[in-house]
Amino acid sequence: MIPVAARTLAAGMPWMPHTASLHGPAIDALMHTSLFTLFALCVLAQVLILAGLVLRRENRPRFSAAWRRGATVAIVILFVWMTVAAERLWSTIRLTRAESNAIQVEVTGAQFQWYFRYPGPDGNYGRTEPELIDAAGGNPLGLDPTDPHSHDDVVNSVLMLPVNHQVDLRLRALDVIHGFYIPAMRVMQNATPGSASEIHLMPTRTGDYPIVCSQLCGLGHYRMHAVLRVVSSQEFTDWMKQRETERETPVAER
Ligand SMILES: [Cu+2]
């Protein structure tokens, strides 16, 4: 009953953008169920406090010991249910493995920019070396040109993804902790230097969606934006082919 009411009300809620990922509606339903339940309990508590303040002693509502015990047990059950429901949802979203044909993208956070790397037709990311990092020279991730796997890697500042296709993202950071946050996809995950975190998602609607950094990562944090562009499968294939061609053509001939 409560989830149905929460979902109905949530449809017109202005505080979050419309969800555009497969797991988004489940997160929204849980969040709204929890919010509305706690809001109702908060209102009830305020009414009882107010009644205690304004009513004469003999007119105040009286609750037997059994009633008070029952209310405490009900609240404990409610909180346990909320915790279990949240953990179950988190584990179904985060602990299941990505499909084997999921599109691989490496997301790198650096002060104050997001970079997205696709492994190319060989399916392997090329080696990167910190001393080769040269953002002004067109090598922001430090790709090692002597590694054959790096020759077909595509690095982009816009995250291009095909609609209705699972995507496996590998997050890392070059300098400090950044927060990879796509509100419309209901995705938020820290990118931490020295370790890689994996998340997967499936966009369900085409369009442009903002990507922001949710960790205060330095003076330029406010301008650490990027765009997620969800396109049709055909558009994605065409774009990838075009980037691969650009990669193979010497700069002078483009
Ligand atoms: Cu950041």
Side-chain angles (χ1 to χ4, degrees):
M1 181 64 200
I2 293 176
V4 173
R7 233 173 274 146
T8 314
L9 282 164
M13 289 295 161
W15 57 57
M16 285 292 276
H18 235 295
T19 178
S21 66
L22 191 63
H23 67 264
I27 290 186
D28 286 4
L30 181 72
M31 189 172 76
H32 289 115
T33 304
S34 305
L35 276 176
F36 288 123
T37 311
L38 293 179
F39 179 69
L41 281 177
C42 180
V43 169
L44 180 66
Q46 301 307 312
V47 168
L48 288 175
I49 290 171
L50 206 63
L53 282 173
V54 299
L55 293 178
R56 286 170 173 276
R57 184 178 286 270
E58 58 273 19
N59 293 336
R60 285 178 198 162
R62 303 206 174 277
F63 301 105
S64 67
W67 206 98
R68 286 200 296 271
R69 269 197 297 275
T72 309
V73 170
I75 287 172
V76 169
I77 290 172
L78 177 69
F79 274 80
V80 169
W81 172 79
M82 280 163 63
T83 308
V84 171
E87 289 292 327
R88 277 185 57 190
L89 179 60
W90 185 88
S91 59
T92 42
I93 293 171
R94 298 303 301 276
L95 299 184
T96 49
R97 289 199 147 271
E99 291 163 11
S100 54
N101 66 344
I103 288 177
Q104 304 290 321
V105 188
E106 181 195 68
V107 179
T108 304
Q111 287 172 319
F112 300 96
Q113 173 85 43
W114 291 109
Y115 297 104
F116 307 102
R117 178 161 66 132
Y118 301 78
D122 70 354
N124 288 306
Y125 294 111
R127 191 171 48 239
T128 54
E129 298 290 347
E131 54 269 25
L132 295 174
I133 291 175
D134 178 12
N139 191 6
L141 301 180
L143 270 175
D144 183 354
T146 62
D147 180 11
H149 291 313
S150 76
H151 293 171
D152 61 351
D153 285 12
V154 167
V155 179
N156 209 41
S157 57
V158 172
L159 175 56
M160 295 285 284
L161 295 179
V163 72
N164 295 329
H165 200 105
Q166 203 180 47
V167 185
D168 194 15
L169 300 173
R170 190 174 79 169
L171 269 61
R172 61 189 203 114
L174 291 186
D175 34 41
V176 298
I177 297 175
H178 298 278
F180 183 68
Y181 181 31
I182 318 176
M185 295 289 143
R186 306 298 190 262
V187 161
M188 187 195 266
Q189 172 68 45
N190 278 355
T192 314
S195 74
S197 15
E198 308 261 338
I199 44 172
H200 49 267
L201 67 121
M202 187 189 285
T204 50
R205 294 200 314 164
T206 54
D208 283 6
Y209 305 99
I211 301 174
V212 292
C213 178
S214 61
Q215 294 285 359
L216 195 52
C217 57
L219 282 176
H221 162 70
Y222 71 94
R223 61 181 156 86
M224 193 162 166
H225 300 294
V227 171
L228 159 63
R229 183 160 298 156
V230 181
V231 294
S232 68
S233 294
Q234 188 57 48
E235 280 174 278
F236 179 76
T237 313
D238 293 347
W239 172 80
M240 189 54 83
K241 274 197 194 126
Q242 186 202 334
R243 288 306 308 266
E244 287 297 337
T245 320
E246 283 171 13
R247 196 98 176 65
E248 286 157 14
T249 314
V251 177
E253 292 174 25
R254 279 179 210 164

